[in-house]
mmCIF file of all heavy atoms in Angstrom:
data_model
loop_
_atom_site.group_PDB
_atom_site.id
_atom_site.type_symbol
_atom_site.label_atom_id
_atom_site.label_comp_id
_atom_site.label_asym_id
_atom_site.label_seq_id
_atom_site.Cartn_x
_atom_site.Cartn_y
_atom_site.Cartn_z
ATOM 1 N N TYR A 1 80.600 90.239 107.388
ATOM 2 C CA TYR A 1 79.544 89.242 107.567
ATOM 3 C C TYR A 1 78.688 89.143 106.311
ATOM 4 O O TYR A 1 78.546 90.123 105.563
ATOM 5 C CB TYR A 1 78.615 89.639 108.727
ATOM 6 C CG TYR A 1 79.289 89.848 110.055
ATOM 7 C CD1 TYR A 1 79.948 91.048 110.347
ATOM 8 C CD2 TYR A 1 79.254 88.867 111.039
ATOM 9 C CE1 TYR A 1 80.555 91.246 111.567
ATOM 10 C CE2 TYR A 1 79.861 89.063 112.274
ATOM 11 C CZ TYR A 1 80.507 90.246 112.534
ATOM 12 O OH TYR A 1 81.112 90.446 113.749
ATOM 13 N N VAL A 2 78.067 87.990 106.134
ATOM 14 C CA VAL A 2 77.031 87.799 105.116
ATOM 15 C C VAL A 2 75.853 87.115 105.794
ATOM 16 O O VAL A 2 76.006 86.542 106.891
ATOM 17 C CB VAL A 2 77.543 86.953 103.934
ATOM 18 C CG1 VAL A 2 78.544 87.728 103.096
ATOM 19 C CG2 VAL A 2 78.133 85.632 104.408
ATOM 20 N N PRO A 3 74.665 87.154 105.181
ATOM 21 C CA PRO A 3 73.504 86.493 105.793
ATOM 22 C C PRO A 3 73.735 84.995 105.994
ATOM 23 O O PRO A 3 74.485 84.358 105.248
ATOM 24 C CB PRO A 3 72.385 86.741 104.779
ATOM 25 C CG PRO A 3 72.811 87.986 104.060
ATOM 26 C CD PRO A 3 74.298 87.901 103.966
ATOM 27 N N ALA A 4 73.089 84.436 107.000
ATOM 28 C CA ALA A 4 73.175 83.002 107.264
ATOM 29 C C ALA A 4 72.750 82.207 106.037
ATOM 30 O O ALA A 4 71.920 82.666 105.243
ATOM 31 C CB ALA A 4 72.292 82.638 108.457
ATOM 32 N N GLU A 5 73.337 81.040 105.910
ATOM 33 C CA GLU A 5 73.048 80.100 104.810
ATOM 34 C C GLU A 5 73.653 80.528 103.475
ATOM 35 O O GLU A 5 73.333 79.941 102.438
ATOM 36 C CB GLU A 5 71.548 79.843 104.678
ATOM 37 C CG GLU A 5 70.931 79.232 105.933
ATOM 38 C CD GLU A 5 69.476 78.874 105.762
ATOM 39 O OE1 GLU A 5 68.951 78.978 104.635
ATOM 40 O OE2 GLU A 5 68.845 78.492 106.773
ATOM 41 N N THR A 6 74.517 81.534 103.491
ATOM 42 C CA THR A 6 75.258 81.860 102.272
ATOM 43 C C THR A 6 76.161 80.671 101.934
ATOM 44 O O THR A 6 76.760 80.071 102.822
ATOM 45 C CB THR A 6 76.110 83.119 102.475
ATOM 46 O OG1 THR A 6 75.253 84.234 102.747
ATOM 47 C CG2 THR A 6 76.941 83.436 101.229
ATOM 48 N N ASP A 7 76.239 80.324 100.665
ATOM 49 C CA ASP A 7 77.003 79.156 100.254
ATOM 50 C C ASP A 7 78.472 79.280 100.677
ATOM 51 O O ASP A 7 79.097 80.330 100.487
ATOM 52 C CB ASP A 7 76.922 78.992 98.738
ATOM 53 C CG ASP A 7 77.436 77.637 98.294
ATOM 54 O OD1 ASP A 7 78.666 77.477 98.226
ATOM 55 O OD2 ASP A 7 76.610 76.753 98.030
ATOM 56 N N PRO A 8 79.038 78.225 101.253
ATOM 57 C CA PRO A 8 80.443 78.256 101.685
ATOM 58 C C PRO A 8 81.420 78.616 100.570
ATOM 59 O O PRO A 8 82.453 79.244 100.825
ATOM 60 C CB PRO A 8 80.687 76.821 102.183
ATOM 61 C CG PRO A 8 79.345 76.337 102.612
ATOM 62 C CD PRO A 8 78.378 76.955 101.641
ATOM 63 N N ALA A 9 81.080 78.225 99.328
ATOM 64 C CA ALA A 9 81.971 78.540 98.208
ATOM 65 C C ALA A 9 82.033 80.045 97.965
ATOM 66 O O ALA A 9 83.074 80.588 97.590
ATOM 67 C CB ALA A 9 81.494 77.819 96.946
ATOM 68 N N ILE A 10 80.910 80.723 98.179
ATOM 69 C CA ILE A 10 80.871 82.184 98.024
ATOM 70 C C ILE A 10 81.651 82.847 99.158
ATOM 71 O O ILE A 10 82.423 83.789 98.937
ATOM 72 C CB ILE A 10 79.408 82.677 97.982
ATOM 73 C CG1 ILE A 10 78.744 82.231 96.683
ATOM 74 C CG2 ILE A 10 79.335 84.194 98.154
ATOM 75 C CD1 ILE A 10 77.272 82.576 96.584
ATOM 76 N N ILE A 11 81.456 82.347 100.370
ATOM 77 C CA ILE A 11 82.183 82.888 101.517
ATOM 78 C C ILE A 11 83.687 82.718 101.312
ATOM 79 O O ILE A 11 84.485 83.616 101.611
ATOM 80 C CB ILE A 11 81.739 82.200 102.819
ATOM 81 C CG1 ILE A 11 80.269 82.514 103.106
ATOM 82 C CG2 ILE A 11 82.617 82.641 103.995
ATOM 83 C CD1 ILE A 11 79.696 81.772 104.295
ATOM 84 N N GLU A 12 84.068 81.577 100.767
ATOM 85 C CA GLU A 12 85.489 81.312 100.507
ATOM 86 C C GLU A 12 86.070 82.343 99.542
ATOM 87 O O GLU A 12 87.196 82.813 99.726
ATOM 88 C CB GLU A 12 85.666 79.907 99.944
ATOM 89 C CG GLU A 12 87.118 79.506 99.755
ATOM 90 C CD GLU A 12 87.280 78.084 99.255
ATOM 91 O OE1 GLU A 12 86.266 77.355 99.203
ATOM 92 O OE2 GLU A 12 88.411 77.706 98.921
ATOM 93 N N LYS A 13 85.299 82.728 98.531
ATOM 94 C CA LYS A 13 85.768 83.735 97.573
ATOM 95 C C LYS A 13 85.914 85.097 98.252
ATOM 96 O O LYS A 13 86.879 85.819 98.010
ATOM 97 C CB LYS A 13 84.812 83.828 96.391
ATOM 98 C CG LYS A 13 84.897 82.648 95.435
ATOM 99 C CD LYS A 13 84.085 82.894 94.169
ATOM 100 C CE LYS A 13 84.259 81.753 93.176
ATOM 101 N NZ LYS A 13 83.541 82.001 91.899
ATOM 102 N N LEU A 14 84.956 85.437 99.110
ATOM 103 C CA LEU A 14 85.020 86.714 99.823
ATOM 104 C C LEU A 14 86.204 86.730 100.792
ATOM 105 O O LEU A 14 86.929 87.725 100.906
ATOM 106 C CB LEU A 14 83.715 86.965 100.573
ATOM 107 C CG LEU A 14 82.498 87.327 99.719
ATOM 108 C CD1 LEU A 14 81.216 87.271 100.546
ATOM 109 C CD2 LEU A 14 82.665 88.716 99.109
ATOM 110 N N THR A 15 86.404 85.626 101.502
ATOM 111 C CA THR A 15 87.525 85.531 102.438
ATOM 112 C C THR A 15 88.859 85.652 101.709
ATOM 113 O O THR A 15 89.765 86.364 102.154
ATOM 114 C CB THR A 15 87.472 84.202 103.208
ATOM 115 O OG1 THR A 15 86.262 84.138 103.970
ATOM 116 C CG2 THR A 15 88.663 84.076 104.155
ATOM 117 N N SER A 16 88.971 84.971 100.580
ATOM 118 C CA SER A 16 90.201 85.035 99.788
ATOM 119 C C SER A 16 90.483 86.459 99.329
ATOM 120 O O SER A 16 91.619 86.936 99.394
ATOM 121 C CB SER A 16 90.083 84.105 98.581
ATOM 122 O OG SER A 16 91.237 84.177 97.773
ATOM 123 N N ALA A 17 89.430 87.154 98.885
ATOM 124 C CA ALA A 17 89.591 88.545 98.439
ATOM 125 C C ALA A 17 89.976 89.443 99.604
ATOM 126 O O ALA A 17 90.794 90.366 99.453
ATOM 127 C CB ALA A 17 88.296 89.039 97.794
ATOM 128 N N LEU A 18 89.408 89.193 100.781
ATOM 129 C CA LEU A 18 89.758 89.966 101.977
ATOM 130 C C LEU A 18 91.230 89.768 102.323
ATOM 131 O O LEU A 18 91.947 90.727 102.620
ATOM 132 C CB LEU A 18 88.884 89.540 103.156
ATOM 133 C CG LEU A 18 89.272 90.107 104.528
ATOM 134 C CD1 LEU A 18 89.181 91.627 104.538
ATOM 135 C CD2 LEU A 18 88.400 89.503 105.627
ATOM 136 N N GLN A 19 91.697 88.535 102.277
ATOM 137 C CA GLN A 19 93.080 88.252 102.608
ATOM 138 C C GLN A 19 94.042 88.939 101.637
ATOM 139 O O GLN A 19 95.088 89.444 102.037
ATOM 140 C CB GLN A 19 93.316 86.739 102.625
ATOM 141 C CG GLN A 19 92.598 86.044 103.772
ATOM 142 C CD GLN A 19 92.815 84.549 103.784
ATOM 143 O OE1 GLN A 19 93.147 83.951 102.765
ATOM 144 N NE2 GLN A 19 92.618 83.926 104.935
ATOM 145 N N VAL A 20 93.674 88.974 100.362
ATOM 146 C CA VAL A 20 94.485 89.680 99.372
ATOM 147 C C VAL A 20 94.509 91.182 99.687
ATOM 148 O O VAL A 20 95.551 91.831 99.639
ATOM 149 C CB VAL A 20 93.943 89.437 97.943
ATOM 150 C CG1 VAL A 20 94.617 90.385 96.941
ATOM 151 C CG2 VAL A 20 94.171 87.988 97.528
ATOM 152 N N ALA A 21 93.338 91.732 100.022
ATOM 153 C CA ALA A 21 93.231 93.167 100.315
ATOM 154 C C ALA A 21 94.091 93.557 101.516
ATOM 155 O O ALA A 21 94.706 94.626 101.534
ATOM 156 C CB ALA A 21 91.770 93.544 100.577
ATOM 157 N N LEU A 22 94.153 92.676 102.525
ATOM 158 C CA LEU A 22 94.900 92.993 103.734
ATOM 159 C C LEU A 22 96.407 92.921 103.525
ATOM 160 O O LEU A 22 97.184 93.358 104.374
ATOM 161 C CB LEU A 22 94.482 92.057 104.873
ATOM 162 C CG LEU A 22 93.023 92.212 105.330
ATOM 163 C CD1 LEU A 22 92.706 91.230 106.448
ATOM 164 C CD2 LEU A 22 92.731 93.636 105.775
ATOM 165 N N GLN A 23 96.818 92.373 102.381
ATOM 166 C CA GLN A 23 98.244 92.362 102.032
ATOM 167 C C GLN A 23 98.594 93.449 101.008
ATOM 168 O O GLN A 23 99.749 93.571 100.597
ATOM 169 C CB GLN A 23 98.631 90.993 101.466
ATOM 170 C CG GLN A 23 98.498 89.864 102.477
ATOM 171 C CD GLN A 23 98.888 88.518 101.895
ATOM 172 O OE1 GLN A 23 100.077 88.207 101.775
ATOM 173 N NE2 GLN A 23 97.911 87.731 101.505
ATOM 174 N N ASP A 24 97.581 94.226 100.617
ATOM 175 C CA ASP A 24 97.794 95.313 99.673
ATOM 176 C C ASP A 24 98.638 96.408 100.336
ATOM 177 O O ASP A 24 98.345 96.828 101.463
ATOM 178 C CB ASP A 24 96.437 95.877 99.234
ATOM 179 C CG ASP A 24 96.564 96.998 98.233
ATOM 180 O OD1 ASP A 24 96.669 96.708 97.037
ATOM 181 O OD2 ASP A 24 96.570 98.173 98.662
ATOM 182 N N GLN A 25 99.671 96.872 99.666
ATOM 183 C CA GLN A 25 100.589 97.827 100.278
ATOM 184 C C GLN A 25 99.913 99.140 100.636
ATOM 185 O O GLN A 25 100.220 99.752 101.674
ATOM 186 C CB GLN A 25 101.779 98.094 99.354
ATOM 187 C CG GLN A 25 102.934 98.800 100.048
ATOM 188 C CD GLN A 25 103.464 98.031 101.252
ATOM 189 O OE1 GLN A 25 103.754 96.844 101.163
ATOM 190 N NE2 GLN A 25 103.587 98.712 102.391
ATOM 191 N N ASN A 26 98.994 99.589 99.811
ATOM 192 C CA ASN A 26 98.289 100.833 100.114
ATOM 193 C C ASN A 26 97.453 100.687 101.384
ATOM 194 O O ASN A 26 97.409 101.605 102.215
ATOM 195 C CB ASN A 26 97.387 101.246 98.954
ATOM 196 C CG ASN A 26 96.632 102.535 99.243
ATOM 197 O OD1 ASN A 26 97.210 103.584 99.441
ATOM 198 N ND2 ASN A 26 95.295 102.446 99.290
ATOM 199 N N VAL A 27 96.802 99.533 101.539
ATOM 200 C CA VAL A 27 96.014 99.281 102.751
ATOM 201 C C VAL A 27 96.928 99.256 103.965
ATOM 202 O O VAL A 27 96.634 99.885 104.991
ATOM 203 C CB VAL A 27 95.238 97.950 102.632
ATOM 204 C CG1 VAL A 27 94.610 97.572 103.975
ATOM 205 C CG2 VAL A 27 94.159 98.060 101.561
ATOM 206 N N ILE A 28 98.052 98.571 103.862
ATOM 207 C CA ILE A 28 99.005 98.495 104.973
ATOM 208 C C ILE A 28 99.503 99.892 105.353
ATOM 209 O O ILE A 28 99.535 100.264 106.536
ATOM 210 C CB ILE A 28 100.193 97.587 104.595
ATOM 211 C CG1 ILE A 28 99.721 96.140 104.424
ATOM 212 C CG2 ILE A 28 101.297 97.671 105.652
ATOM 213 C CD1 ILE A 28 100.768 95.213 103.846
ATOM 214 N N ASP A 29 99.867 100.692 104.345
ATOM 215 C CA ASP A 29 100.397 102.034 104.593
ATOM 216 C C ASP A 29 99.344 102.955 105.200
ATOM 217 O O ASP A 29 99.618 103.689 106.149
ATOM 218 C CB ASP A 29 100.934 102.643 103.303
ATOM 219 C CG ASP A 29 102.179 101.928 102.787
ATOM 220 O OD1 ASP A 29 102.792 101.176 103.564
ATOM 221 O OD2 ASP A 29 102.511 102.114 101.600
ATOM 222 N N ARG A 30 98.146 102.909 104.646
ATOM 223 C CA ARG A 30 97.080 103.791 105.147
ATOM 224 C C ARG A 30 96.644 103.377 106.549
ATOM 225 O O ARG A 30 96.374 104.224 107.403
ATOM 226 C CB ARG A 30 95.885 103.769 104.191
ATOM 227 C CG ARG A 30 96.133 104.476 102.882
ATOM 228 C CD ARG A 30 96.163 106.008 103.051
ATOM 229 N NE ARG A 30 94.810 106.510 103.344
ATOM 230 C CZ ARG A 30 94.469 107.134 104.461
ATOM 231 N NH1 ARG A 30 95.372 107.351 105.421
ATOM 232 N NH2 ARG A 30 93.233 107.557 104.645
ATOM 233 N N PHE A 31 96.570 102.067 106.796
ATOM 234 C CA PHE A 31 96.249 101.603 108.143
ATOM 235 C C PHE A 31 97.293 102.118 109.128
ATOM 236 O O PHE A 31 96.959 102.561 110.235
ATOM 237 C CB PHE A 31 96.201 100.073 108.179
ATOM 238 C CG PHE A 31 94.845 99.482 107.822
ATOM 239 C CD1 PHE A 31 93.921 100.201 107.097
ATOM 240 C CD2 PHE A 31 94.516 98.191 108.198
ATOM 241 C CE1 PHE A 31 92.687 99.664 106.762
ATOM 242 C CE2 PHE A 31 93.287 97.636 107.878
ATOM 243 C CZ PHE A 31 92.370 98.371 107.159
ATOM 244 N N ALA A 32 98.570 102.055 108.743
ATOM 245 C CA ALA A 32 99.650 102.514 109.628
ATOM 246 C C ALA A 32 99.494 103.995 109.953
ATOM 247 O O ALA A 32 99.707 104.422 111.091
ATOM 248 C CB ALA A 32 101.006 102.247 108.981
ATOM 249 N N GLU A 33 99.119 104.777 108.949
ATOM 250 C CA GLU A 33 98.895 106.215 109.167
ATOM 251 C C GLU A 33 97.767 106.455 110.155
ATOM 252 O O GLU A 33 97.744 107.470 110.854
ATOM 253 C CB GLU A 33 98.568 106.896 107.837
ATOM 254 C CG GLU A 33 99.733 106.963 106.860
ATOM 255 C CD GLU A 33 99.302 107.492 105.497
ATOM 256 O OE1 GLU A 33 98.126 107.905 105.376
ATOM 257 O OE2 GLU A 33 100.120 107.477 104.556
ATOM 258 N N LEU A 34 96.833 105.526 110.208
ATOM 259 C CA LEU A 34 95.665 105.659 111.078
ATOM 260 C C LEU A 34 95.844 104.952 112.415
ATOM 261 O O LEU A 34 94.908 104.864 113.210
ATOM 262 C CB LEU A 34 94.425 105.112 110.355
ATOM 263 C CG LEU A 34 94.035 105.853 109.070
ATOM 264 C CD1 LEU A 34 92.964 105.083 108.307
ATOM 265 C CD2 LEU A 34 93.558 107.267 109.389
ATOM 266 N N GLY A 35 97.049 104.422 112.643
ATOM 267 C CA GLY A 35 97.340 103.832 113.940
ATOM 268 C C GLY A 35 96.899 102.394 114.102
ATOM 269 O O GLY A 35 96.691 101.932 115.232
ATOM 270 N N THR A 36 96.754 101.672 112.995
ATOM 271 C CA THR A 36 96.333 100.282 113.101
ATOM 272 C C THR A 36 97.069 99.441 112.067
ATOM 273 O O THR A 36 97.852 99.960 111.273
ATOM 274 C CB THR A 36 94.811 100.151 112.919
ATOM 275 O OG1 THR A 36 94.415 98.797 113.181
ATOM 276 C CG2 THR A 36 94.367 100.544 111.522
ATOM 277 N N THR A 37 96.837 98.148 112.093
ATOM 278 C CA THR A 37 97.438 97.234 111.130
ATOM 279 C C THR A 37 96.393 96.209 110.700
ATOM 280 O O THR A 37 95.447 95.931 111.445
ATOM 281 C CB THR A 37 98.640 96.470 111.736
ATOM 282 O OG1 THR A 37 98.191 95.769 112.914
ATOM 283 C CG2 THR A 37 99.761 97.415 112.104
ATOM 284 N N PRO A 38 96.553 95.614 109.513
ATOM 285 C CA PRO A 38 95.641 94.536 109.116
ATOM 286 C C PRO A 38 95.840 93.326 110.030
ATOM 287 O O PRO A 38 96.937 93.107 110.547
ATOM 288 C CB PRO A 38 96.082 94.209 107.684
ATOM 289 C CG PRO A 38 96.876 95.389 107.226
ATOM 290 C CD PRO A 38 97.522 95.945 108.457
#
């Protein structure tokens, strides 16, 4: 989350970075070890 009224363009950059992170192999592998998935 970010505070209300944050510029949509900034949110878009954060969302894009989140989506990239959730496809990172280390994140996928570590999540699997912890019993979850992105």
